[in-house]
Amino acid sequence: MSSKPLVDVQNSTDNRQITIDKVGVRGVRHPIRVRDQANDFQHTIGDFTLTVELPHNFKGTHMSRFLEALNENKGEISAESIPNLIQSLKERLHAERAHVVVQFPYFMTKAAPVTGKTGMMDYQVKFDANCAGDFILQVQVPVTTLCPCSKEISDYGAHNQRGLVTANIRMSEMIWIEEVVRMIESCASCDLYPVLKRPDEKWVTERAYNNPRFVEDMVREVAMVFDKDSRITWYSIEVENFESIHAHNAYAFLERQK
């Protein structure tokens, strides 16, 4: 019994003369190993978007080859290893340009400020890299912010809320994820902690009260810290406060090329 030839439709010619900037796969979950300042490496789960430029004369791309390139990379993801993955994508897909984005939860052990009780904090991290050598590190850090206006006008107390700081960084040399987290947390009314006993809760409450921050204060304070670090060549900072007494959120953003 003869079998029907398997036609490579993706490799057929397209006559519309339109190059597609990015084509590939998104939502690919894969175990990864990332650099860890305290423990050398840690294992986590990456959510990948892998794309290449598709020339105008090709009808489609070969999706399986993206997964083959990712498997070949053996799960190690860093600023040093991603160029190898990009090169593999270019070679396998016969593409001039390739782009890799991977998002993952990054875990850090954190001790309570008074009792020293420890727990795990997770921070959302993203690596965004392309074949031109551009690499952007994104770190999202949740913080506590206390409203300066509320403190000023109230006879007692002040409202506070959880805020989310999203920092994107280009760097001239390696910066640890932990370093970025600490930079951002140092600018907040107070850190967040996974484990708090009563003495810790008292400390956190009073620290936040003594360090009021608008979203405007947060982006400016983080910018000042980033400006002092010569390894950072460009950054953007986004702060969103999930307001506790308003029906809307407060928001601020700045971007700077150093």
Side-chain angles (χ1 to χ4, degrees), residues 243-258:
E243 292 288 314
S244 59
I245 66 170
H246 301 291
H248 54 264
N249 293 339
Y251 176 81
F253 173 89
L254 70 81
E255 178 181 355
R256 182 170 296 172
Q257 178 75 44
K258 291 171 62 179

Side-chain angles (χ1 to χ4, degrees), residues 50-52 61-74 76-77 80-100 130-131:
L50 307 171
T51 59
V52 295
T61 192
H62 296 80
M63 299 297 178
S64 63
R65 296 180 186 178
F66 291 94
L67 281 302
E68 290 172 344
L70 183 58
N71 290 331
E72 183 183 70
N73 201 56
K74 301 186 184 303
E76 184 172 333
I77 297 297
E80 295 80 17
S81 67
I82 284 181
N84 296 329
L85 176 56
I86 289 175
Q87 184 61 31
S88 179
L89 290 173
K90 290 171 61 179
E91 291 174 359
R92 287 177 179 274
L93 279 303
H94 307 291
E96 292 294 324
R97 296 180 177 86
H99 193 176
V100 171
N130 63 32
C131 58

Side-chain angles (χ1 to χ4, degrees), residues 10-235:
Q10 290 95 326
N11 208 38
S12 61
T13 302
D14 193 283
N15 297 315
R16 286 167 285 192
Q17 298 294 304
I18 297 175
T19 296
I20 301 177
D21 296 332
K22 294 178 183 178
V23 61
V25 294
R26 171 173 283 179
V28 177
R29 290 168 60 83
H30 195 280
I32 61 173
R33 190 175 76 151
V34 296
R35 296 285 297 275
D36 183 313
Q37 189 177 26
N39 302 300
D40 197 20
F41 286 95
Q42 71 170 255
H43 295 270
T44 183
I45 298 294
D47 188 320
F48 285 85
T49 298
L50 307 171
T51 59
V52 295
E53 180 186 71
L54 185 69
H56 67 85
N57 54 310
F58 286 105
K59 184 174 184 62
T61 192
H62 296 80
M63 299 297 178
S64 63
R65 296 180 186 178
F66 291 94
L67 281 302
E68 290 172 344
L70 183 58
N71 290 331
E72 183 183 70
N73 201 56
K74 301 186 184 303
E76 184 172 333
I77 297 297
S78 66
E80 295 80 17
S81 67
I82 284 181
N84 296 329
L85 176 56
I86 289 175
Q87 184 61 31
S88 179
L89 290 173
K90 290 171 61 179
E91 291 174 359
R92 287 177 179 274
L93 279 303
H94 307 291
E96 292 294 324
R97 296 180 177 86
H99 193 176
V100 171
V101 178
V102 56
Q103 302 179 71
F104 53 91
Y106 187 83
F107 294 90
M108 293 171 55
T109 301
K110 193 169 184 181
V114 178
T115 65
K117 298 290 185 180
T118 60
M120 298 296 291
M121 286 284 293
D122 72 285
Y123 303 89
Q124 289 300 309
V125 177
K126 179 168 73 173
F127 295 162
D128 188 327
N130 63 32
C131 58
D134 190 26
F135 180 90
I136 296 175
L137 166 64
Q138 181 186 97
V139 183
Q140 291 189 325
V141 181
V143 296
T144 294
T145 57
L146 184 134
C147 177
C149 180
S150 174
K151 178 180 178 179
E152 184 67 27
I153 66 177
S154 301
D155 291 335
Y156 49 87
H159 81 85
N160 60 13
Q161 54 274 318
R162 185 176 299 183
L164 184 64
V165 182
T166 302
N168 292 282
I169 293 172
R170 289 189 177 101
M171 64 199 84
S172 60
E173 57 184 280
M174 179 181 170
I175 298 177
W176 292 99
I177 295 168
E178 292 90 336
E179 292 182 275
V180 179
V181 170
R182 288 192 289 266
M183 289 180 195
I184 293 171
E185 289 181 337
S186 71
C187 299
S189 296
C190 191
D191 306 11
L192 299 186
Y193 293 90
V195 179
L196 290 174
K197 308 301 282 187
R198 278 175 293 179
D200 304 305
E201 188 170 350
K202 178 179 184 296
W203 186 94
V204 165
T205 301
E206 292 172 348
R207 178 171 176 80
Y209 188 78
N210 290 327
N211 294 279
R213 294 283 190 272
F214 289 128
V215 287
E216 297 93 334
D217 296 315
M218 277 299 302
V219 293
R220 286 170 172 151
E221 290 292 327
V222 176
M224 290 174 64
V225 173
F226 285 178
D227 283 343
K228 293 176 183 177
D229 194 315
S230 60
R231 297 171 297 175
I232 298 175
T233 60
W234 167 91
Y235 61 80

